[in-house]
Amino acid sequence: MKVLSPSVAFTAVSVLASTSSAGPTRRAKCGLPLVQDKALVDSILIDDLLGCAQDLEDIAYSTSRRNRVHGTEGHLNSVNYFVEQLKSVGDYYNIELQEFTTEVTIQSKASLSVNGETLEAGGFSFGNNGTWADKPVVSVANLGCNAEDHPDSLNGAVALISRGDCTFVEKITLAGEKGAIGAIIYNNAAAGLAAGTLGGVNDLIPVGGISREDGLRLVEQIENNAAVTSSGEFWQYIDNTTSYNVVASSKHGDANNVLFLGAHSDSVEAGPGINDNGSGSCGLLTIAKQLARWRTNNQVRFAWWTAEEEGLLGSEHYVNVTAASELDKIRLYLNFDMIASPNYVLGIYDGDGSSFNLSGPAGSAQAEKLFEEWYKSEGLPFVGSEFNGRSDYGPFLDQGVPCGGLDTGADGIKTEEEVALFGGTAGIWYDPNYHSAKDNVTNLNLDAFEATSRAIAHAVATYGTSWEGFPARNVTSLTRRSSGYSKYNTLSRKSRSVKKTYLEVSK
Ligand SMILES: [Zn+2]
């Protein structure tokens, strides 16, 4: 589809004026038929999914930054797009725009040399400013996720650590505790520089990201007892930006027994973010539009979250400003983040903990089972997806809300067993374009996109009709803020008190 004309370009005024705030949402009667599972599923067409993805790419490419980062024109126009599309089906939904402001990196600089040779390097969002000169580089064992991986020789040195398994924050915290004055993280796949976010303002040692190839070369030199020294300079400028969560609740259906589905609407800086997460956004939008032809017994609520890429901030904001008594009315939260990965698997969040030993609140296992049964009935293979809170369901898990979801893989490495099930290429990422400029429409896998979106529609029809057989909700107000699934949270909450600052050089 074509680029949006300037007349629909976002302004806060136009969007705020054009939507109603969420009020009492039940409508006594309506003439629509009760949702039919097969009919809803069969109404989800790849042309619609792809058309939406193309619209989001056009929105990104029509801006100078060519992305949809929280708070940028590309993201604000995405928000406006979701609102306009939802309004195109009439007054089926109460649409709420939830304003959210947080710090993001506006500008950054990264330079790194090793033994006098300049290496290509990048910074991490919320990485601290700092410089070092001619410091020894010490290799950290394994993936640097355990204290014993970090040797005593890190004292006064720069830690060289592989990406993978645990968060960047965990790795560089451990290195800092051993006295390292800086860290270099190398990628765990041949996919550009290691990059990401530290989730918020922090007091960690400065850190840079390099490629897997460069990282392994340095590890080999160190193992061969060559003297490896490094100089580095990292800084960034952080400022406040504002954007919006879009929350759309069906006007009919029982608002005390809500099915809630969410996907993040923002991208990273590197590109338009079409698999991550135009795909999940468009899956939900396409279903939300088709659902408007039907009545449901239970309220169905959709959210397009902002600032997920900054550390799950939009969804965290939602649960922070929503009363516990309202969160108690959410029977199930389903999350969709990357559902059209080029080297895909059909992943189901492992809510019962059978694959990864991390289970969710009662109901999470039933959600997993529903998707398993659906894929079986469609004759499709599936695998468990680690239930680690690393997307917008993390804040909901923290509040004791049962969660589920589907994804098709991000920066994990595909195994031979998975190739036997799904085809594709072993030994590389599920999405080789993850967080890069190549995450665009051309590289979506349409089979995965369609299969996943149909499965979501099946969940909407099932739970929109009845919660029979689904466990009663435990009481969120008794379990709030107890479980700590999302490691980002403490840091990001802290970051909000900082208004506008150059980060201090760390010690
Ligand atoms: Zn994502």
Side-chain angles (χ1 to χ4, degrees):
M1 287 178 70
K2 65 182 164 50
V3 174
L4 288 185
S5 66
S7 63
V8 286
F10 176 90
T11 68
V13 173
S14 74
V15 169
L16 291 171
S18 65
T19 60
S20 56
S21 63
T25 56
R26 290 189 65 183
R27 202 160 60 173
K29 276 210 168 90
C30 84
L32 298 173
L34 182 64
V35 63
Q36 297 271 323
D37 186 11
K38 186 176 184 331
L40 182 66
V41 168
D42 287 342
S43 71
I44 306 308
L45 304 177
I46 191 63
D47 284 356
D48 292 335
L49 296 166
L50 199 52
C52 168
Q54 186 65 58
D55 286 344
L56 293 180
E57 183 177 288
D58 291 346
I59 286 169
Y61 287 170
S62 68
T63 70
S64 59
R65 285 169 72 163
R66 294 175 67 81
N67 62 34
R68 301 184 303 109
V69 169
H70 149 81
T72 64
E73 187 190 1
H75 183 256
L76 295 176
N77 282 334
S78 301
V79 165
N80 198 31
Y81 173 79
F82 294 124
V83 171
E84 293 298 324
Q85 290 288 312
L86 289 165
K87 284 167 60 191
S88 75
V89 298
D91 67 345
Y92 190 87
Y93 295 103
N94 274 318
I95 303 169
E96 183 188 5
L97 279 184
Q98 199 170 53
E99 185 175 308
F100 175 68
T101 299
T102 191
E103 297 82 18
V104 293
T105 300
I106 305 292
Q107 268 185 306
S108 66
K109 179 185 173 186
S111 70
L112 183 71
S113 66
V114 174
N115 289 348
E117 177 201 354
T118 301
L119 294 187
E120 196 187 346
F124 288 74
S125 295
F126 297 108
N128 276 317
N129 292 356
T131 58
W132 62 80
D134 295 325
K135 294 292 180 190
V137 179
V138 171
S139 182
V140 169
N142 304 312
L143 296 171
C145 297
N146 299 305
E148 54 270 29
D149 296 335
H150 296 256
D152 293 337
S153 54
L154 280 174
N155 195 13
V158 175
L160 178 65
I161 318 172
S162 173
R163 182 180 191 168
D165 269 15
C166 57
T167 64
F168 302 123
V169 169
E170 288 169 296
K171 292 171 196 284
I172 60 181
T173 298
L174 291 170
E177 284 169 2
K178 278 289 165 76
I181 50 94
I184 302 169
I185 294 180
Y186 60 94
N187 223 336
N188 59 343
L193 306 178
T197 180
L198 306 184
V201 175
N202 58 73
D203 55 6
L204 299 166
I205 54 175
V207 56
I210 62 174
S211 71
R212 174 159 187 79
E213 192 189 351
D214 282 343
L216 291 179
R217 190 161 52 86
L218 296 181
V219 169
E220 195 184 325
Q221 287 173 14
I222 293 166
E223 279 171 359
N224 292 334
N225 294 318
V228 177
T229 60
S230 152
S231 298
E233 181 183 0
F234 296 90
W235 68 263
Q236 56 191 295
Y237 175 62
I238 310 270
D239 201 358
N240 280 317
T241 45
T242 294
S243 66
Y244 302 87
N245 290 326
V246 179
V247 183
S249 304
S250 65
K251 290 185 178 176
H252 28 237
D254 181 357
N256 290 317
N257 286 284
V258 177
L259 172 65
F260 198 149
L261 305 96
H264 73 83
S265 59
D266 62 316
S267 76
V268 292
E269 181 70 37
I274 299 305
N275 186 36
D276 184 13
N277 184 31
S279 62
S281 296
C282 288
L284 292 193
L285 181 67
T286 302
I287 292 163
K289 287 168 70 179
Q290 291 298 334
L291 183 64
R293 297 185 296 127
W294 305 94
R295 168 173 62 87
T296 57
N297 292 329
N298 296 314
Q299 187 183 91
V300 181
R301 187 177 302 160
F302 296 91
W304 289 266
W305 305 118
T306 187
E308 189 271 353
E309 299 289 6
E310 315 297 334
L312 321 181
L313 301 185
S315 52
E316 190 203 339
H317 177 70
Y318 179 89
V319 300
N320 284 345
V321 300
T322 301
S325 58
E326 287 302 309
L327 294 176
D328 284 343
K329 296 173 183 171
I330 304 169
R331 295 294 298 272
L332 175 65
Y333 173 78
L334 294 173
N335 195 66
F336 304 97
D337 188 359
M338 305 179 69
I339 61 168
S341 309
N343 191 32
Y344 75 96
V345 291
L346 295 176
I348 303 175
Y349 288 9
D350 181 33
D352 65 4
S354 63
S355 308
F356 295 94
N357 210 23
L358 282 170
S359 60
S364 308
Q366 281 73 12
E368 181 183 1
K369 184 96 179 142
L370 178 100
F371 287 126
E372 289 176 354
E373 294 298 326
W374 171 258
Y375 279 147
K376 277 183 204 162
S377 75
E378 294 271 282
L380 293 169
F382 55 86
V383 293
S385 195
E386 188 176 8
F387 205 54
N388 56 11
R390 198 185 140 186
S391 183
D392 292 302
Y393 62 104
F396 286 87
L397 283 181
D398 282 348
Q399 308 301 336
V401 177
C403 290
L406 302 172
D407 65 23
T408 58
D411 55 347
I413 292 171
K414 197 168 196 174
T415 65
E416 294 288 357
E417 295 76 41
E418 289 166 342
V419 170
L421 288 172
F422 302 98
T425 309
I428 65 168
W429 283 359
Y430 301 112
D431 183 354
N433 313 304
Y434 177 65
H435 286 185
S436 84
K438 286 192 229 151
D439 180 8
N440 57 27
V441 169
T442 318
N443 289 318
L444 296 177
N445 185 293
L446 303 186
D447 291 339
F449 202 178
E450 186 177 53
T452 309
S453 299
R454 285 169 59 89
I456 304 169
H458 169 65
V460 168
T462 304
Y463 295 133
T465 301
S466 171
W467 292 108
E468 203 185 319
F470 199 85
R473 252 316 292 281
N474 60 1
V475 181
T476 290
S477 44
L478 297 180
T479 56
R480 284 197 93 150
R481 306 195 201 305
S482 57
S483 45
Y485 283 88
S486 37
K487 295 243 175 342
Y488 290 135
N489 288 359
T490 331
L491 288 172
S492 52
R493 265 197 286 278
K494 192 166 81 178
S495 76
R496 293 216 192 99
S497 61
V498 181
K499 285 299 168 221
K500 181 173 185 176
T501 177
Y502 285 90
L503 292 177
E504 281 174 28
V505 175
S506 74
K507 297 108 225 161

